[in-house]
Amino acid sequence: MGLLSDKVKIENEASISLIPMINFFIAIIPVLLIASSFDDYSSLSANLPAKAQTTESPSTTHAQLAVYLHKDEVSLKLIGNNQKSQKTVYKSVQEIESRLQQLPSFRTAIFRASDETTYRQTLEVIQRLKRSPSIEQVVIANKEDL
Amino acid sequence: MNLKNKFKIEPPRLQMTPMIDIFTVILIFFIVSFSVDNTNIELDKNTQLPVLKLDKQELQGIHVQVLAESFRINGKEMDENIESWANELKKNSTAASQGILIEADADIPYQRIDKAISKLGQSGVNDIQFVVEVKGDEYESL
């Protein structure tokens, strides 16, 4: 009688079966581990000069900003719209950023970098140009375009 | 008799609770970092992308890798001939319409990028995108 009541008591105890849960975890963790991406990527867009743009004379185009990146400095030059050209040289990207805030609106900034600059430096300057509210598009000029 | 019961050794049992705790934490971490977008960046082992502070973005299009000694379009080694560049872009015209993604090491001389841009321009490309790694901190080298 005593044995029977013990047996009934044991069967009535509810318990979570952990083994299927652990099996599930062991299966899903490697899947997620492989499929997870830990690096986030983005992109900076830029335009290449279309043939029509390069054949247009500067006097007929809207005001443009020519940006030339050297190894240790950046020069900005306003061109077109019958304005007198002003070339200013900056030693850091912060200086360019603050200068860009003061400039009038441009349709285009034409960017060119010298051969000895690094890709990292060029992207830092292009990012500042793209961030500026006064510039609509950034065109990257080649040697042939200038 | 009581003393004998007190020192009775219980059979060893696997401690499930801490293991499940760890699994749960790892599972949550992987679910959060899991990405379902089809950004497929396969960089050369020597390439370390430039780091900029930008919003994460899904990247689609043709991958143009600019290396110190060579250029690759979608992993295929390219020669200097402009026609082969134009043919490769034409062959992948659907992807090309989504964008041209330029991938290069941050410290590569701009001369190499300029060369790639020149070839892309001559092949009829008007818009390009420079692929960067997204980080929270802004880095300035100039």
Side-chain angles (χ1 to χ4, degrees):
Chain A
M1 187 62 185
L3 282 175
L4 189 63
S5 66
D6 281 351
K7 200 176 177 182
V8 172
K9 195 178 169 185
I10 289 164
E11 281 175 357
N12 284 342
E13 274 180 19
S15 65
I16 300 168
S17 179
L18 293 175
I19 293 166
M21 191 169 106
I22 291 167
N23 286 342
F24 169 73
F25 277 168
I26 288 171
I28 202 164
I29 284 174
V31 171
L32 292 172
L33 178 64
I34 291 164
S36 292
S37 69
F38 300 101
D39 292 324
D40 292 337
Y41 298 105
S42 188
S43 71
L44 266 183
S45 60
N47 300 95
L48 300 184
K51 280 177 185 168
Q53 278 180 315
T54 52
T55 52
E56 230 175 335
S57 73
S59 58
T60 58
T61 56
H62 291 260
Q64 293 177 327
L65 178 69
V67 182
Y68 198 95
L69 172 66
H70 301 268
K71 196 177 180 184
D72 302 314
E73 61 186 34
V74 186
S75 64
L76 302 184
K77 190 178 176 184
L78 311 177
I79 47 173
N81 236 7
N82 298 324
Q83 288 176 2
K84 195 181 172 187
S85 294
Q86 310 160 35
K87 186 181 170 185
T88 326
V89 177
Y90 300 91
K91 291 285 179 189
S92 73
V93 284
Q94 293 101 322
E95 284 181 49
I96 309 164
E97 196 156 24
S98 56
R99 175 68 181 131
L100 289 172
Q101 300 296 326
Q102 301 156 10
L103 290 173
S105 284
F106 293 100
R107 180 174 286 179
T108 310
I110 301 167
F111 176 82
R112 172 91 190 114
S114 63
D115 288 346
E116 68 270 19
T117 56
T118 63
Y119 180 45
R120 185 202 311 271
Q121 288 175 314
T122 58
L123 289 194
E124 283 166 13
V125 175
I126 292 170
Q127 188 192 21
R128 296 311 195 283
L129 296 174
K130 300 246 356 147
R131 209 189 273 172
S132 167
S134 55
I135 294 168
E136 277 182 41
Q137 65 169 348
V138 178
V139 172
I140 298 183
N142 279 125
K143 278 175 193 165
E144 296 85 20
D145 302 318
L146 296 174
Chain B
M1 189 65 179
N2 282 339
L3 193 66
K4 196 179 174 183
N5 282 339
K6 200 174 179 181
F7 287 99
K8 192 180 169 186
I9 299 166
E10 286 192 7
R13 294 182 63 191
L14 190 65
Q15 289 291 318
M16 290 296 201
T17 313
M19 190 165 89
I20 290 168
D21 287 347
I22 289 169
F23 274 169
T24 309
V25 170
I26 291 173
L27 189 65
I28 291 166
F29 173 75
F30 283 140
I31 287 172
V32 169
S33 60
F34 179 71
S35 168
V36 285
D37 64 32
N38 44 7
T39 301
N40 183 22
I41 304 282
E42 285 179 23
L43 296 171
D44 186 76
K45 62 176 190 264
N46 297 321
T47 300
Q48 182 68 51
L49 289 174
V51 175
L52 291 179
K53 191 180 178 183
L54 290 170
D55 292 329
K56 189 185 170 188
Q57 186 185 334
E58 190 177 336
L59 302 173
Q60 287 183 326
I62 289 189
H63 298 256
V64 178
Q65 287 181 299
V66 182
L67 305 172
E69 303 292 328
S70 62
F71 299 104
R72 288 180 197 158
I73 294 182
N74 280 349
K76 187 184 171 188
E77 203 88 21
M78 301 304 296
D79 54 29
E80 296 290 315
N81 188 359
I82 279 293
E83 279 178 19
S84 62
W85 282 64
N87 287 340
E88 196 61 32
L89 294 171
K90 201 174 174 184
K91 209 172 13 172
N92 299 294
S93 56
T94 314
S97 64
Q98 292 176 312
I100 305 290
L101 305 165
I102 295 187
E103 298 160 12
D105 187 80
D107 294 320
I108 203 165
Y110 181 72
Q111 192 179 15
R112 295 290 298 160
I113 306 290
D114 195 40
K115 203 168 181 182
I117 288 173
S118 172
K119 287 184 185 300
L120 289 168
Q122 288 173 54
S123 307
V125 172
N126 286 326
D127 304 311
I128 51 171
Q129 292 176 59
F130 297 107
V131 179
V132 297
E133 204 176 320
V134 175
K135 286 277 165 67
D137 300 322
E138 200 137 89
Y139 178 84
E140 287 170 6
S141 61
L142 188 69

